[in-house]
Amino acid sequence: MEINLVEEQFNNLDGATLRIMYDENQNLNLLELEPEKSGDPVSVWVDEELKNRMLEALTIIKLNDLDTKLYETLKGVLRKYDYNLIETLAAAKDNIDFMIIWMYSENKSLIVQKLVNWAVEQEENNEI
């Protein structure tokens, strides 16, 4: 996965590209930050939780009130379906009121990304 980051996120640095790779043998993610104009790439191995926190911090798109309502609604449905995202989205899309609001959201992928991160955290907390 690649994410383009803007200049404002890096305290006087140019924009950059963040590449995220996964090594199944090590069960770790490699985050590689490559400056847009000058400098060598920097990389670090991190676990899933730290990767998710870093992505959350670097996400420049924030959820508006409508998207937050969708996110919170989906969290409730996700609990009901034992954190199965496919079943959750299918059930939510059967609700006409939800579908009308969902159609107007411009941040569907961000909502789903945040939902997946939240579900993983919930499942990990329940395993402990």
Side-chain angles (χ1 to χ4, degrees), residues 52-68:
N52 291 339
R53 287 184 183 183
M54 291 176 76
L55 285 176
E56 182 79 23
L58 292 171
T59 302
I60 56 176
I61 299 171
K62 300 299 178 201
L63 296 180
N64 61 30
D65 290 341
L66 176 69
D67 294 333
T68 301

Side-chain angles (χ1 to χ4, degrees), residues 3-17:
I3 299 173
N4 291 323
L5 305 170
V6 293
E7 188 174 330
E8 291 78 23
Q9 292 174 284
F10 292 106
N11 295 338
N12 300 323
L13 294 177
D14 296 324
T17 300

